[in-house]
Coordinates of all heavy atoms in Angstrom, one line a residue:
G43 N 0.4 18.6 -13.2 CA 0.5 19.2 -14.5 C 1.8 19.9 -14.9 O 1.9 20.6 -15.9
K44 N 2.8 19.6 -14.1 CA 4.1 20.2 -14.4 C 4.7 19.9 -15.8 O 5.1 20.8 -16.5 CB 5.2 19.8 -13.3 CG 4.8 20.2 -11.9 CD 5.8 19.6 -10.9 CE 6.0 18.1 -10.9 NZ 4.8 17.3 -10.6
S45 N 4.7 18.6 -16.1 CA 5.3 18.2 -17.4 C 4.4 18.7 -18.6 O 5.0 19.1 -19.6 CB 5.4 16.6 -17.4 OG 6.2 16.2 -16.4
S46 N 3.1 18.6 -18.4 CA 2.3 19.1 -19.5 C 2.5 20.6 -19.7 O 2.6 21.1 -20.8 CB 0.8 18.9 -19.2 OG 0.5 17.5 -19.2
F47 N 2.6 21.4 -18.6 CA 2.9 22.8 -18.7 C 4.2 23.1 -19.3 O 4.3 23.9 -20.2 CB 2.8 23.4 -17.3 CG 3.1 24.9 -17.2 CD1 2.0 25.8 -17.3 CD2 4.3 25.4 -17.1 CE1 2.2 27.1 -17.3 CE2 4.6 26.7 -17.1 CZ 3.5 27.6 -17.1
A48 N 5.2 22.3 -18.9 CA 6.6 22.5 -19.4 C 6.6 22.3 -20.9 O 7.2 23.1 -21.7 CB 7.6 21.6 -18.7
R49 N 6.0 21.2 -21.4 CA 6.0 20.9 -22.8 C 5.3 22.0 -23.6 O 5.7 22.2 -24.8 CB 5.3 19.5 -23.0 CG 6.2 18.3 -22.7 CD 5.6 17.0 -23.2 NE 4.3 16.8 -22.7 CZ 4.1 16.1 -21.5 NH1 5.1 15.7 -20.8 NH2 2.8 15.9 -21.1
K50 N 4.3 22.6 -23.0 CA 3.5 23.6 -23.8 C 4.3 24.9 -23.8 O 4.2 25.7 -24.8 CB 2.1 23.8 -23.2 CG 1.4 24.9 -23.9 CD -0.1 24.9 -23.5 CE -0.7 26.0 -24.3 NZ -2.1 26.0 -24.2
H51 N 5.0 25.3 -22.8 CA 5.5 26.6 -22.7 C 7.1 26.8 -22.8 O 7.6 27.9 -22.8 CB 5.1 27.2 -21.3 CG 3.6 27.3 -21.2 ND1 2.9 28.3 -21.8 CD2 2.7 26.6 -20.5 CE1 1.6 28.2 -21.5 NE2 1.5 27.2 -20.8
F52 N 7.8 25.6 -22.9 CA 9.2 25.7 -23.1 C 9.7 24.8 -24.2 O 9.0 23.8 -24.5 CB 9.9 25.3 -21.7 CG 9.6 26.2 -20.6 CD1 8.6 25.8 -19.7 CD2 10.2 27.4 -20.4 CE1 8.3 26.7 -18.6 CE2 9.9 28.2 -19.4 CZ 9.0 27.9 -18.4
L53 N 10.8 25.0 -24.7 CA 11.4 24.1 -25.7 C 11.8 22.8 -25.0 O 12.2 22.8 -23.9 CB 12.7 24.8 -26.3 CG 12.5 26.1 -27.0 CD1 13.9 26.6 -27.4 CD2 11.7 25.9 -28.2
S54 N 11.7 21.7 -25.8 CA 12.0 20.4 -25.2 C 13.4 20.4 -24.8 O 13.7 19.7 -23.8 CB 11.7 19.3 -26.3 OG 12.5 19.5 -27.4
T55 N 14.3 21.1 -25.4 CA 15.7 21.1 -25.0 C 16.0 21.9 -23.7 O 17.0 21.7 -23.1 CB 16.6 21.7 -26.1 OG1 16.1 23.0 -26.4 CG2 16.6 20.8 -27.3
E56 N 15.0 22.7 -23.3 CA 15.2 23.5 -22.1 C 14.7 22.7 -20.8 O 15.1 23.1 -19.7 CB 14.3 24.8 -22.2 CG 14.8 25.7 -23.2 CD 13.8 26.9 -23.5 OE1 12.6 26.8 -23.3 OE2 14.4 28.0 -23.9
I57 N 14.0 21.6 -21.0 CA 13.4 20.9 -19.9 C 14.2 19.7 -19.5 O 14.6 18.9 -20.4 CB 12.0 20.4 -20.3 CG1 11.1 21.5 -20.8 CG2 11.3 19.6 -19.2 CD1 9.9 21.1 -21.5
I58 N 14.5 19.6 -18.2 CA 15.2 18.4 -17.7 C 14.3 17.8 -16.7 O 14.0 18.4 -15.7 CB 16.6 18.8 -17.0 CG1 17.4 19.7 -17.9 CG2 17.3 17.5 -16.6 CD1 18.6 20.3 -17.2
S59 N 13.8 16.6 -17.0 CA 12.8 15.9 -16.2 C 13.5 14.8 -15.4 O 14.3 14.1 -15.9 CB 11.8 15.3 -17.2 OG 11.1 14.3 -16.5
S60 N 13.1 14.8 -14.1 CA 13.6 13.7 -13.3 C 13.2 12.4 -13.8 O 14.0 11.4 -13.7 CB 13.2 13.9 -11.8 OG 11.8 13.9 -11.7
D61 N 12.0 12.3 -14.3 CA 11.5 11.0 -14.8 C 12.4 10.6 -16.0 O 12.7 9.4 -16.1 CB 10.0 11.1 -15.3 CG 9.1 11.2 -14.1 OD1 9.4 10.9 -13.0 OD2 7.9 11.6 -14.4
Y62 N 12.7 11.5 -16.9 CA 13.5 11.2 -18.0 C 14.9 10.7 -17.6 O 15.4 9.8 -18.1 CB 13.6 12.3 -19.0 CG 14.4 12.0 -20.2 CD1 13.9 11.1 -21.2 CD2 15.7 12.6 -20.4 CE1 14.7 10.8 -22.3 CE2 16.4 12.3 -21.5 CZ 15.9 11.4 -22.5 OH 16.7 11.1 -23.6
C63 N 15.4 11.4 -16.6 CA 16.8 11.1 -16.1 C 16.7 9.7 -15.5 O 17.7 8.9 -15.6 CB 17.3 12.1 -15.1 SG 17.7 13.7 -16.0
R64 N 15.6 9.3 -14.8 CA 15.5 8.0 -14.2 C 15.5 7.0 -15.4 O 16.1 5.9 -15.3 CB 14.2 7.9 -13.4 CG 14.3 8.1 -12.0 CD 13.1 7.7 -11.2 NE 13.0 8.6 -10.1 CZ 12.3 9.7 -10.1 NH1 11.6 10.1 -11.1 NH2 12.2 10.5 -9.0
S65 N 14.8 7.3 -16.5 CA 14.7 6.4 -17.6 C 16.1 6.2 -18.2 O 16.5 5.1 -18.7 CB 13.7 6.8 -18.6 OG 14.1 7.9 -19.3
I66 N 16.9 7.3 -18.3 CA 18.2 7.2 -18.9 C 19.1 6.3 -18.1 O 19.9 5.5 -18.6 CB 18.9 8.6 -18.9 CG1 18.2 9.5 -19.9 CG2 20.4 8.5 -19.2 CD1 18.4 9.2 -21.3
V67 N 19.0 6.3 -16.7 CA 20.0 5.5 -15.9 C 19.4 4.1 -15.6 O 20.2 3.3 -15.2 CB 20.4 6.3 -14.6 CG1 21.1 7.6 -14.9 CG2 19.2 6.5 -13.7
S68 N 18.1 3.9 -15.8 CA 17.6 2.6 -15.4 C 16.6 2.0 -16.4 O 16.0 0.9 -16.1 CB 16.9 2.7 -14.0 OG 15.6 3.3 -14.1
D69 N 16.3 2.7 -17.5 CA 15.3 2.2 -18.5 C 13.9 2.2 -17.9 O 13.0 1.6 -18.5 CB 15.6 0.8 -19.0 CG 16.9 0.8 -19.9 OD1 17.2 1.9 -20.5 OD2 17.6 -0.2 -19.9
D70 N 13.6 2.9 -16.8 CA 12.3 2.9 -16.2 C 12.1 4.2 -15.4 O 12.8 4.4 -14.4 CB 12.2 1.7 -15.2 CG 10.8 1.7 -14.5 OD1 10.0 2.6 -14.7 OD2 10.6 0.8 -13.7
E71 N 11.3 5.1 -16.0 CA 11.1 6.4 -15.4 C 10.5 6.4 -14.0 O 10.5 7.4 -13.2 CB 10.4 7.4 -16.3 CG 8.9 7.0 -16.4 CD 8.2 8.1 -17.3 OE1 8.8 8.6 -18.2 OE2 7.0 8.2 -17.1
T72 N 9.9 5.3 -13.6 CA 9.2 5.2 -12.3 C 10.1 4.4 -11.3 O 9.7 4.3 -10.1 CB 7.9 4.4 -12.4 OG1 8.1 3.1 -12.8 CG2 7.0 5.1 -13.4
N73 N 11.3 4.0 -11.7 CA 12.2 3.3 -10.8 C 12.8 4.2 -9.7 O 13.8 4.9 -9.9 CB 13.3 2.7 -11.6 CG 14.3 1.9 -10.7 OD1 14.1 1.7 -9.5 ND2 15.3 1.3 -11.4
Q74 N 12.2 4.2 -8.5 CA 12.6 5.0 -7.4 C 14.0 4.7 -6.9 O 14.7 5.5 -6.4 CB 11.6 5.0 -6.3 CG 10.2 5.6 -6.7 CD 10.3 7.0 -7.2 OE1 10.8 7.9 -6.5 NE2 9.8 7.2 -8.4
A75 N 14.4 3.4 -7.1 CA 15.8 3.0 -6.7 C 16.8 3.8 -7.5 O 18.0 3.9 -7.1 CB 15.9 1.5 -6.9
A76 N 16.5 4.3 -8.7 CA 17.4 5.1 -9.5 C 17.4 6.6 -9.3 O 18.1 7.3 -9.9 CB 17.0 4.8 -11.0
T77 N 16.7 7.0 -8.2 CA 16.5 8.4 -8.0 C 17.8 9.2 -7.8 O 18.0 10.2 -8.3 CB 15.5 8.7 -6.8 OG1 14.2 8.2 -7.3 CG2 15.4 10.1 -6.5
T78 N 18.7 8.6 -6.9 CA 19.9 9.3 -6.6 C 20.8 9.5 -7.9 O 21.2 10.6 -8.2 CB 20.8 8.5 -5.6 OG1 20.0 8.4 -4.4 CG2 22.1 9.2 -5.3
D79 N 20.9 8.5 -8.7 CA 21.7 8.6 -10.0 C 21.0 9.5 -10.9 O 21.6 10.3 -11.6 CB 21.8 7.2 -10.6 CG 22.8 6.3 -9.9 OD1 23.6 6.9 -9.1 OD2 22.7 5.1 -10.0
A80 N 19.6 9.5 -11.0 CA 18.9 10.3 -11.9 C 19.1 11.8 -11.5 O 19.3 12.6 -12.4 CB 17.4 10.0 -11.8
F81 N 19.1 12.1 -10.2 CA 19.3 13.5 -9.9 C 20.7 14.0 -10.0 O 21.0 15.1 -10.3 CB 18.7 13.8 -8.5 CG 17.3 14.1 -8.5 CD1 16.3 13.1 -8.3 CD2 16.8 15.4 -8.8 CE1 15.0 13.3 -8.4 CE2 15.4 15.6 -8.8 CZ 14.5 14.6 -8.7
E82 N 21.7 13.1 -9.9 CA 23.1 13.4 -10.2 C 23.1 13.8 -11.7 O 23.8 14.8 -12.1 CB 24.0 12.2 -10.0 CG 24.4 12.1 -8.6 CD 25.4 10.9 -8.4 OE1 26.1 10.5 -9.4 OE2 25.4 10.3 -7.3

Side-chain angles (χ1 to χ4, degrees):
K44 298 177 304 297
S45 298
S46 296
F47 181 90
R49 282 190 302 272
K50 180 171 180 167
H51 297 285
F52 298 99
L53 299 174
S54 62
T55 55
E56 294 172 332
I57 304 164
I58 308 169
S59 160
S60 60
D61 288 344
Y62 181 70
C63 289
R64 267 191 212 92
S65 71
I66 292 289
V67 300
S68 74
D69 294 328
D70 179 359
E71 70 178 29
T72 64
N73 180 2
Q74 295 303 305
T77 295
T78 299
D79 290 338
F81 275 92
E82 280 181 26

